[in-house]
Amino acid sequence: MPVDPICKRRVPEDTQHFSNYGGKKYCFCSPECKTKFDDLEKSVIRLKRSIGEKERISFGKLRKEIIKPGICTLCGACAASCESITIEDSQPKLVDKCTACGVCYNQCPRTITTEEGLIGKIRNAYAARTGIKDLKGQDGAVVTSMLAYGLEEGLIDCAIVTVKSEEEPWKPVPIVATTYDELIESTGSIYSHSMTLEALMSAVKQGMRSIAFVGTSCNIDAVYKMQKSPYGFLHLFMRANILRLGLFCMDTFHYEGIREFVQSKGMRLEDIESMKIRKGMFEFQTDDELKVYELEELDQYRSSSCKFCTDLAAENADISFGGVGTPKDWTTVLARSGIGYEIFNEAVDSGYIESRLLEENEMKNVLNLAKMKKTQMYSVIRRQNL
Ligand SMILES: Cc1cc2nc3c(=O)[nH]c(=O)nc-3n(C[C@H](O)[C@H](O)[C@H](O)COP(=O)(O)OP(=O)(O)OC[C@H]3O[C@@H](n4cnc5c(N)ncnc54)[C@H](O)[C@@H]3O)c2cc1C
Ligand code: SF4
Ligand code: SF4
Ligand code: SF4
């Protein structure tokens, strides 16, 4: 005797209340149960239509990203929303045709399917580069140009930036910059943790009240918490205004580790002019050659905290900057808060920065990298290495 899928009562096969769905007959005890089921069916069809219009995603994607790596929680949402899926041997399995409607993937609590879920809230996304003659940065020198505009216009008293140590080349040293010359010294990325909060507290204690702070996602989180948490120093005692300029970040490495690696390749840190991580490769540029290595070769030197980090795009910043997405010598910019958006666009209007809207394919690259970072903790290989 069939079971009413709504109230779970047994009902006779020849009941007058039934529906055909997905090639199968469902029997009900009453018109109420049938209506409930039909409404549910309509919702699923509507959902399939709305998702299907955007992108075709099949069960294979759910299997590859969630089921195979073992992150499935066996909640049953996928099976509940599709007739072709059942849970067998403690795993969701495809037992019938998949029309690649994407419903199971989008329903799964373990997938991240929205732009906001991957890179946080943004107002606008840009590709930008400096408008200042002869200024060179890590990418488009946009961070430095925005700070230069802030200092020049008196919008900020100082900027917390990171420069290279004079005694130990490529060792990050956070400073309180109040001049354009100090800003120029800070251009470029140093791929080791910088203790930027020390310099920030020093600026606050010196009586600076409008401070621009540049840091990686985790640096930004520290400032954000100090500002927002009921126990935060900046929230409780020091009423400085802090503009948070976040840097996209996939990894940092121990300073001594980078030194050891560079030496093992027959180079000296003092001869390296710039470093860059791009497309899974670590690039070291000296004045006469560019040496490029697989990022994996530096795995043993990676900061342990970075394995647990899921924030590529400095989601708690007022404005975020990265190299991914845009062409060489351009910076990807995500304007988030009102103040971040305004100062960036004022710097553009004043000629400090040149900008255009980020194109769809450029944003796709940002989202792909953000996704890689969000799901890295799930990765079996990474877990084995922990
Ligand atoms: C450790 C690290 C990892 C990064 N990883 C990625 C990545 O995976 N993908 C990506 O797209 N972008 C990444 N970035 C961001 C990218 O390298 C550029 O910083 C960004 O695109 C801005 O470029 P720009 O030319 O506009 O900045 P510039 O005008 O050159 O200014 C650079 C700013 O970075 C600051 N800075 C340099 N090193 C540090 C540090 N260790 N800690 C805090 N602040 C620092 C300086 O103070 C300076 O203000 C990373 C940056 C860092 C520091
Ligand atoms: S809900 Fe069903 S038909 Fe749609 S993608 Fe998933 S398995 Fe395929
Ligand atoms: S919806 Fe996701 S977590 Fe839930 S059973 Fe299906 S695959 Fe597993
Ligand atoms: S990967 Fe995360 S934890 Fe590591 S330096 Fe970057 S923002 Fe900080």
Side-chain angles (χ1 to χ4, degrees):
M1 207 183 274
V3 175
D4 180 327
I6 299 296
C7 66
K8 310 290 179 206
R9 282 194 203 119
R10 293 202 171 274
V11 283
E13 184 91 57
D14 58 355
T15 173
Q16 304 211 326
H17 316 297
F18 64 89
S19 291
N20 287 311
Y21 175 56
K24 209 168 146 186
K25 183 180 176 190
Y26 291 89
C27 299
F28 307 98
C29 68
S30 62
E32 287 74 30
C33 277
K34 176 176 158 44
T35 308
K36 271 189 193 162
F37 180 89
D38 289 345
D39 285 350
L40 203 63
E41 182 193 330
K42 276 182 211 138
S43 311
V44 171
I45 291 168
R46 218 173 23 243
L47 193 65
K48 282 186 178 181
R49 256 192 227 127
S50 73
I51 295 169
E53 274 162 18
K54 287 179 206 122
E55 200 186 345
R56 299 196 63 72
I57 297 174
S58 71
F59 179 79
K61 195 170 165 76
L62 187 73
R63 181 165 44 213
K64 182 168 163 237
E65 290 183 17
I66 307 297
I67 302 167
K68 234 173 153 202
I71 342 162
C72 164
T73 64
L74 279 179
C75 71
C78 52
S81 45
C82 181
E83 289 289 303
S84 301
I85 304 173
T86 59
I87 308 281
E88 256 177 47
D89 304 328
S90 300
Q91 268 199 2
K93 291 212 172 117
L94 188 69
V95 289
D96 210 336
K97 201 169 157 263
C98 172
T99 59
C101 69
V103 167
C104 56
Y105 184 86
N106 281 283
Q107 290 283 290
C108 174
R110 289 298 208 178
T111 59
I112 310 165
T113 51
T114 62
E115 185 180 291
E116 188 178 327
L118 291 168
I119 56 169
K121 271 202 176 114
I122 62 166
R123 275 168 194 248
N124 239 338
Y126 306 93
R129 62 180 172 187
T130 186
I132 304 172
K133 198 166 170 277
D134 296 331
L135 181 64
K136 293 262 174 294
Q138 180 70 8
D139 293 305
V142 178
V143 173
T144 306
S145 306
M146 192 165 150
L147 296 176
Y149 170 74
L151 274 184
E152 185 68 31
E153 291 298 312
L155 301 175
I156 52 172
D157 301 329
C158 68
I160 307 304
V161 291
T162 298
V163 299
K164 295 175 204 95
S165 157
E166 281 177 11
E167 294 80 36
E168 296 174 89
W170 286 96
K171 189 164 196 170
V173 179
I175 63 159
V176 181
T178 53
T179 65
Y180 182 63
D181 285 348
E182 285 171 323
L183 290 183
I184 292 184
E185 237 192 282
S186 74
T187 54
S189 296
I190 304 171
Y191 290 98
S192 301
H193 274 303
S194 171
M195 285 207 267
T196 44
L197 268 292
E198 271 185 3
L200 174 64
M201 292 311 272
S202 158
V204 173
K205 286 175 190 161
Q206 287 170 42
M208 307 279 190
R209 284 294 170 264
S210 286
I211 303 172
F213 173 92
V214 183
T216 51
S217 312
C218 55
N219 293 162
I220 294 293
D221 286 346
V223 177
Y224 186 77
K225 194 157 189 188
M226 286 174 106
Q227 287 178 300
K228 306 282 174 192
S229 149
Y231 308 105
F233 270 125
L234 293 166
H235 173 78
L236 280 181
F237 306 117
M238 300 160 180
R239 305 252 169 232
N241 293 314
I242 298 167
L243 179 70
R244 300 178 302 268
L245 283 81
L247 304 173
F248 288 15
C249 187
M250 277 300 274
D251 290 297
T252 55
F253 301 85
H254 301 296
Y255 171 68
E256 286 74 19
I258 293 188
R259 172 183 286 285
E260 194 179 300
F261 181 80
V262 164
Q263 280 171 356
S264 75
K265 299 294 180 189
M267 296 182 283
R268 295 182 334 146
L269 264 186
E270 33 279 71
D271 298 331
I272 308 285
E273 288 185 350
S274 67
M275 295 186 194
K276 188 160 182 72
I277 298 178
R278 196 194 333 239
K279 295 185 178 163
M281 309 300 282
F282 208 133
E283 304 176 357
F284 297 91
Q285 177 74 58
T286 62
D287 69 340
D288 61 352
E289 69 176 326
L290 174 70
K291 287 198 168 184
V292 183
Y293 302 97
E294 296 271 349
L295 202 48
E296 276 174 17
E297 283 197 57
L298 283 108
D299 256 356
Q300 57 176 311
Y301 307 119
R302 180 175 278 124
S303 308
S304 59
S305 60
C306 302
K307 290 176 190 159
F308 301 95
C309 179
T310 54
D311 180 1
L312 169 78
E315 295 175 26
N316 285 322
D318 289 299
I319 180 161
S320 304
F321 305 87
V324 62
T326 38
K328 192 171 177 292
D329 296 332
W330 286 75
T331 303
T332 301
V333 180
L334 304 179
R336 300 180 185 279
S337 70
I339 186 80
Y341 173 85
E342 270 174 35
I343 299 184
F344 173 76
N345 280 295
E346 282 172 18
V348 171
D349 292 344
S350 307
Y352 281 75
I353 295 169
E354 179 194 333
S355 101
R356 60 167 170 80
L357 288 178
L358 200 68
E359 288 170 9
E360 211 177 305
N361 63 325
E362 294 173 328
M363 179 54 106
K364 217 170 178 181
N365 290 336
V366 175
L367 295 176
N368 283 343
L369 194 63
K371 189 164 190 184
M372 200 188 286
K373 184 135 198 224
K374 289 265 182 237
T375 54
Q376 71 171 356
M377 298 241 292
Y378 295 158
S379 147
V380 178
I381 299 160
R382 284 255 186 180
R383 284 206 163 192
Q384 281 168 348
N385 288 339
L386 292 181

PDB file of all heavy atoms in Angstrom, residues 329-345:
ATOM      1  N   ASP A 329      49.882  45.444 -14.338  1.00  0.00           N
ATOM      2  CA  ASP A 329      49.981  46.874 -14.006  1.00  0.00           C
ATOM      3  C   ASP A 329      48.627  47.552 -13.765  1.00  0.00           C
ATOM      4  O   ASP A 329      48.505  48.769 -13.847  1.00  0.00           O
ATOM      5  CB  ASP A 329      50.782  47.648 -15.064  1.00  0.00           C
ATOM      6  CG  ASP A 329      52.219  47.175 -15.110  1.00  0.00           C
ATOM      7  OD1 ASP A 329      52.718  46.697 -14.070  1.00  0.00           O
ATOM      8  OD2 ASP A 329      52.848  47.250 -16.179  1.00  0.00           O
ATOM      9  N   TRP A 330      47.600  46.754 -13.510  1.00  0.00           N
ATOM     10  CA  TRP A 330      46.299  47.254 -13.073  1.00  0.00           C
ATOM     11  C   TRP A 330      45.976  46.601 -11.724  1.00  0.00           C
ATOM     12  O   TRP A 330      46.445  45.493 -11.446  1.00  0.00           O
ATOM     13  CB  TRP A 330      45.183  46.897 -14.058  1.00  0.00           C
ATOM     14  CG  TRP A 330      45.200  47.691 -15.321  1.00  0.00           C
ATOM     15  CD1 TRP A 330      46.068  47.529 -16.366  1.00  0.00           C
ATOM     16  CD2 TRP A 330      44.320  48.765 -15.686  1.00  0.00           C
ATOM     17  NE1 TRP A 330      45.775  48.427 -17.359  1.00  0.00           N
ATOM     18  CE2 TRP A 330      44.712  49.207 -16.974  1.00  0.00           C
ATOM     19  CE3 TRP A 330      43.237  49.384 -15.066  1.00  0.00           C
ATOM     20  CZ2 TRP A 330      44.068  50.241 -17.639  1.00  0.00           C
ATOM     21  CZ3 TRP A 330      42.589  50.414 -15.722  1.00  0.00           C
ATOM     22  CH2 TRP A 330      43.004  50.845 -16.997  1.00  0.00           C
ATOM     23  N   THR A 331      45.185  47.280 -10.931  1.00  0.00           N
ATOM     24  CA  THR A 331      44.754  46.717  -9.644  1.00  0.00           C
ATOM     25  C   THR A 331      43.237  46.504  -9.674  1.00  0.00           C
ATOM     26  O   THR A 331      42.498  47.347 -10.175  1.00  0.00           O
ATOM     27  CB  THR A 331      45.093  47.694  -8.487  1.00  0.00           C
ATOM     28  OG1 THR A 331      46.496  47.963  -8.504  1.00  0.00           O
ATOM     29  CG2 THR A 331      44.723  47.119  -7.132  1.00  0.00           C
ATOM     30  N   THR A 332      42.818  45.356  -9.140  1.00  0.00           N
ATOM     31  CA  THR A 332      41.380  45.099  -8.972  1.00  0.00           C
ATOM     32  C   THR A 332      40.935  45.783  -7.680  1.00  0.00           C
ATOM     33  O   THR A 332      41.565  45.606  -6.646  1.00  0.00           O
ATOM     34  CB  THR A 332      41.142  43.574  -8.859  1.00  0.00           C
ATOM     35  OG1 THR A 332      41.632  42.968 -10.057  1.00  0.00           O
ATOM     36  CG2 THR A 332      39.669  43.247  -8.676  1.00  0.00           C
ATOM     37  N   VAL A 333      39.872  46.567  -7.765  1.00  0.00           N
ATOM     38  CA  VAL A 333      39.429  47.333  -6.597  1.00  0.00           C
ATOM     39  C   VAL A 333      37.972  46.993  -6.281  1.00  0.00           C
ATOM     40  O   VAL A 333      37.117  47.039  -7.168  1.00  0.00           O
ATOM     41  CB  VAL A 333      39.543  48.862  -6.877  1.00  0.00           C
ATOM     42  CG1 VAL A 333      39.087  49.662  -5.658  1.00  0.00           C
ATOM     43  CG2 VAL A 333      40.974  49.247  -7.261  1.00  0.00           C
ATOM     44  N   LEU A 334      37.715  46.631  -5.018  1.00  0.00           N
ATOM     45  CA  LEU A 334      36.333  46.380  -4.578  1.00  0.00           C
ATOM     46  C   LEU A 334      35.976  47.450  -3.555  1.00  0.00           C
ATOM     47  O   LEU A 334      36.490  47.444  -2.435  1.00  0.00           O
ATOM     48  CB  LEU A 334      36.208  44.992  -3.938  1.00  0.00           C
ATOM     49  CG  LEU A 334      36.655  43.795  -4.780  1.00  0.00           C
ATOM     50  CD1 LEU A 334      36.496  42.494  -3.991  1.00  0.00           C
ATOM     51  CD2 LEU A 334      35.862  43.715  -6.090  1.00  0.00           C
ATOM     52  N   ALA A 335      35.125  48.388  -3.952  1.00  0.00           N
ATOM     53  CA  ALA A 335      34.712  49.452  -3.027  1.00  0.00           C
ATOM     54  C   ALA A 335      33.551  48.922  -2.201  1.00  0.00           C
ATOM     55  O   ALA A 335      32.560  48.444  -2.747  1.00  0.00           O
ATOM     56  CB  ALA A 335      34.305  50.688  -3.805  1.00  0.00           C
ATOM     57  N   ARG A 336      33.695  48.992  -0.891  1.00  0.00           N
ATOM     58  CA  ARG A 336      32.679  48.377  -0.015  1.00  0.00           C
ATOM     59  C   ARG A 336      31.869  49.423   0.752  1.00  0.00           C
ATOM     60  O   ARG A 336      30.705  49.634   0.470  1.00  0.00           O
ATOM     61  CB  ARG A 336      33.364  47.421   0.974  1.00  0.00           C
ATOM     62  CG  ARG A 336      34.141  46.287   0.306  1.00  0.00           C
ATOM     63  CD  ARG A 336      34.780  45.383   1.354  1.00  0.00           C
ATOM     64  NE  ARG A 336      35.617  44.359   0.754  1.00  0.00           N
ATOM     65  CZ  ARG A 336      35.155  43.218   0.235  1.00  0.00           C
ATOM     66  NH1 ARG A 336      33.867  42.968   0.259  1.00  0.00           N
ATOM     67  NH2 ARG A 336      35.982  42.325  -0.289  1.00  0.00           N
ATOM     68  N   SER A 337      32.497  50.105   1.701  1.00  0.00           N
ATOM     69  CA  SER A 337      31.734  51.054   2.529  1.00  0.00           C
ATOM     70  C   SER A 337      31.554  52.378   1.785  1.00  0.00           C
ATOM     71  O   SER A 337      32.247  52.656   0.789  1.00  0.00           O
ATOM     72  CB  SER A 337      32.483  51.303   3.837  1.00  0.00           C
ATOM     73  OG  SER A 337      33.650  52.049   3.574  1.00  0.00           O
ATOM     74  N   GLY A 338      30.657  53.218   2.300  1.00  0.00           N
ATOM     75  CA  GLY A 338      30.426  54.528   1.697  1.00  0.00           C
ATOM     76  C   GLY A 338      31.693  55.352   1.653  1.00  0.00           C
ATOM     77  O   GLY A 338      32.041  55.943   0.619  1.00  0.00           O
ATOM     78  N   ILE A 339      32.450  55.343   2.751  1.00  0.00           N
ATOM     79  CA  ILE A 339      33.643  56.174   2.834  1.00  0.00           C
ATOM     80  C   ILE A 339      34.743  55.654   1.876  1.00  0.00           C
ATOM     81  O   ILE A 339      35.410  56.430   1.197  1.00  0.00           O
ATOM     82  CB  ILE A 339      34.148  56.296   4.309  1.00  0.00           C
ATOM     83  CG1 ILE A 339      35.312  57.286   4.448  1.00  0.00           C
ATOM     84  CG2 ILE A 339      34.517  54.988   4.921  1.00  0.00           C
ATOM     85  CD1 ILE A 339      34.849  58.704   4.481  1.00  0.00           C
ATOM     86  N   GLY A 340      34.867  54.328   1.794  1.00  0.00           N
ATOM     87  CA  GLY A 340      35.853  53.732   0.878  1.00  0.00           C
ATOM     88  C   GLY A 340      35.524  54.103  -0.566  1.00  0.00           C
ATOM     89  O   GLY A 340      36.388  54.506  -1.352  1.00  0.00           O
ATOM     90  N   TYR A 341      34.260  53.985  -0.908  1.00  0.00           N
ATOM     91  CA  TYR A 341      33.766  54.297  -2.255  1.00  0.00           C
ATOM     92  C   TYR A 341      34.019  55.770  -2.588  1.00  0.00           C
ATOM     93  O   TYR A 341      34.524  56.107  -3.657  1.00  0.00           O
ATOM     94  CB  TYR A 341      32.269  53.963  -2.288  1.00  0.00           C
ATOM     95  CG  TYR A 341      31.546  54.363  -3.546  1.00  0.00           C
ATOM     96  CD1 TYR A 341      31.546  53.533  -4.660  1.00  0.00           C
ATOM     97  CD2 TYR A 341      30.849  55.560  -3.608  1.00  0.00           C
ATOM     98  CE1 TYR A 341      30.863  53.899  -5.812  1.00  0.00           C
ATOM     99  CE2 TYR A 341      30.164  55.929  -4.754  1.00  0.00           C
ATOM    100  CZ  TYR A 341      30.173  55.097  -5.853  1.00  0.00           C
ATOM    101  OH  TYR A 341      29.505  55.455  -6.986  1.00  0.00           O
ATOM    102  N   GLU A 342      33.690  56.645  -1.632  1.00  0.00           N
ATOM    103  CA  GLU A 342      33.813  58.094  -1.887  1.00  0.00           C
ATOM    104  C   GLU A 342      35.252  58.523  -2.080  1.00  0.00           C
ATOM    105  O   GLU A 342      35.579  59.219  -3.041  1.00  0.00           O
ATOM    106  CB  GLU A 342      33.224  58.875  -0.711  1.00  0.00           C
ATOM    107  CG  GLU A 342      31.756  59.164  -0.889  1.00  0.00           C
ATOM    108  CD  GLU A 342      31.156  59.810   0.335  1.00  0.00           C
ATOM    109  OE1 GLU A 342      31.855  60.607   0.994  1.00  0.00           O
ATOM    110  OE2 GLU A 342      29.995  59.501   0.638  1.00  0.00           O
ATOM    111  N   ILE A 343      36.131  58.094  -1.167  1.00  0.00           N
ATOM    112  CA  ILE A 343      37.530  58.553  -1.274  1.00  0.00           C
ATOM    113  C   ILE A 343      38.169  58.014  -2.558  1.00  0.00           C
ATOM    114  O   ILE A 343      38.890  58.721  -3.249  1.00  0.00           O
ATOM    115  CB  ILE A 343      38.346  58.184  -0.018  1.00  0.00           C
ATOM    116  CG1 ILE A 343      37.721  58.870   1.205  1.00  0.00           C
ATOM    117  CG2 ILE A 343      39.813  58.593  -0.163  1.00  0.00           C
ATOM    118  CD1 ILE A 343      38.457  58.696   2.506  1.00  0.00           C
ATOM    119  N   PHE A 344      37.872  56.759  -2.891  1.00  0.00           N
ATOM    120  CA  PHE A 344      38.428  56.199  -4.128  1.00  0.00           C
ATOM    121  C   PHE A 344      37.972  57.026  -5.337  1.00  0.00           C
ATOM    122  O   PHE A 344      38.782  57.435  -6.174  1.00  0.00           O
ATOM    123  CB  PHE A 344      37.991  54.735  -4.289  1.00  0.00           C
ATOM    124  CG  PHE A 344      38.391  54.129  -5.619  1.00  0.00           C
ATOM    125  CD1 PHE A 344      39.702  53.753  -5.859  1.00  0.00           C
ATOM    126  CD2 PHE A 344      37.453  53.971  -6.636  1.00  0.00           C
ATOM    127  CE1 PHE A 344      40.081  53.219  -7.092  1.00  0.00           C
ATOM    128  CE2 PHE A 344      37.819  53.443  -7.867  1.00  0.00           C
ATOM    129  CZ  PHE A 344      39.138  53.064  -8.085  1.00  0.00           C
ATOM    130  N   ASN A 345      36.676  57.301  -5.398  1.00  0.00           N
ATOM    131  CA  ASN A 345      36.162  58.036  -6.563  1.00  0.00           C
ATOM    132  C   ASN A 345      36.611  59.496  -6.591  1.00  0.00           C
ATOM    133  O   ASN A 345      36.804  60.070  -7.672  1.00  0.00           O
ATOM    134  CB  ASN A 345      34.646  57.896  -6.649  1.00  0.00           C
ATOM    135  CG  ASN A 345      34.269  56.559  -7.261  1.00  0.00           C
ATOM    136  OD1 ASN A 345      34.557  56.307  -8.430  1.00  0.00           O
ATOM    137  ND2 ASN A 345      33.698  55.679  -6.475  1.00  0.00           N
TER     138      ASN A 345
END
